[in-house]
């Protein structure tokens, strides 16, 4: 397995992986939205590839100068149970630590609650919060199928 930074040319392959893994995509997961993310901290969006270049694992991390965030961690369903997600999370944590990050946050969609045990094995603890959001920009190009 080869871990490296994501490039926008891999967008369709990564979106396909996210969907296969059951990730809920949002309207900010368009190529334009991902390009904005890459302009901020491209080294935190990671993919893991097989020897033949097929993406089997991806995670989109981010850092706002205070907190790190884990978004859209997905392992190909055919490859789960091989510690691929753990290895990708370890790489993301090392990169975040190198930026001075002291704390990493993540959110789990209610319908994806089964991944809570995976994150607990990675050292994450549940924190009861109320999450709220507001889209301030009108919807533009939607992600196909979303």
């Amino acid at each position: 397995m080869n871990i490296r930074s994501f490039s926008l040319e891999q967008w369709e392959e990564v979106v396909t992986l996210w969907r296969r893994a059951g990730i809920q995509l949002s309207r900010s997961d368009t190529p334009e939205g991902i390009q904005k993310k890459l302009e901020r901290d491209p080294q935190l969006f990671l993919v893991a590839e097989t020897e033949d270049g097929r993406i089997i694992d991806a995670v989109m991390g981010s850092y706002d100068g205070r907190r790190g965030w884990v978004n859209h961690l997905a392992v190909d369903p055919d490859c789960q149970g091989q510690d691929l997600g753990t290895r990708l999370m370890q790489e993301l944590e090392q990169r975040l630590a190198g930026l001075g990050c002291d704390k990493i946050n993540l959110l789990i969609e209610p319908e994806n609650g089964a991944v809570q045990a995976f994150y607990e094995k990675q050292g994450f603890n549940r924190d009861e919060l109320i999450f709220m959001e507001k889209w301030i920009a009108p919807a533009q190009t939607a992600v196909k199928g979303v």
Side-chain angles (χ1 to χ4, degrees):
M1 178 176 84
N2 178 37
I3 297 175
R4 65 181 190 78
S5 295
F6 166 88
S7 69
L8 198 54
E9 294 78 35
Q10 299 170 309
W11 178 82
E12 284 189 37
E13 189 176 359
V14 169
V15 166
T16 298
L17 170 65
W18 285 341
R19 286 188 177 129
R20 287 193 65 224
I23 300 290
Q24 296 289 325
L25 301 179
S26 79
R27 67 186 201 193
S28 62
D29 291 324
T30 62
E32 297 81 12
I34 299 297
Q35 177 60 44
K36 288 178 185 177
K37 185 268 176 285
L38 293 175
E39 291 169 6
R40 182 177 180 98
D41 46 22
Q43 74 278 23
L44 300 178
F45 193 155
L46 305 173
V47 295
E49 300 173 323
T50 60
E51 294 298 321
D52 63 358
R54 184 173 63 94
I55 296 175
I56 55 172
D57 195 0
V59 65
M60 182 170 47
S62 61
Y63 182 55
D64 65 13
R66 255 182 20 120
R67 300 285 187 255
W69 284 90
V70 177
N71 299 288
H72 295 346
L73 172 65
V75 176
D76 185 307
D78 295 335
C79 301
Q80 292 179 358
Q82 301 175 30
D83 288 329
L84 301 175
T86 297
R87 287 190 271 173
L88 204 60
M89 285 294 296
Q90 289 170 342
E91 178 67 23
L92 178 61
E93 287 184 28
Q94 287 176 2
R95 291 183 182 205
L96 284 164
L99 294 172
C101 179
D102 293 325
K103 181 182 178 191
I104 304 171
N105 296 328
L106 60 87
L107 302 171
I108 299 172
E109 296 282 351
E111 61 273 1
N112 197 20
V115 303
Q116 182 175 340
F118 167 81
Y119 287 115
E120 287 171 346
K121 283 177 54 178
Q122 307 309 308
F124 285 82
N125 298 304
R126 185 178 176 134
D127 191 0
E128 296 297 324
L129 301 171
I130 297 173
F131 175 74
M132 299 176 71
E133 69 177 7
K134 177 182 178 181
W135 290 93
I136 60 172
Q140 296 181 11
T141 308
V143 177
K144 293 179 184 174
V146 176

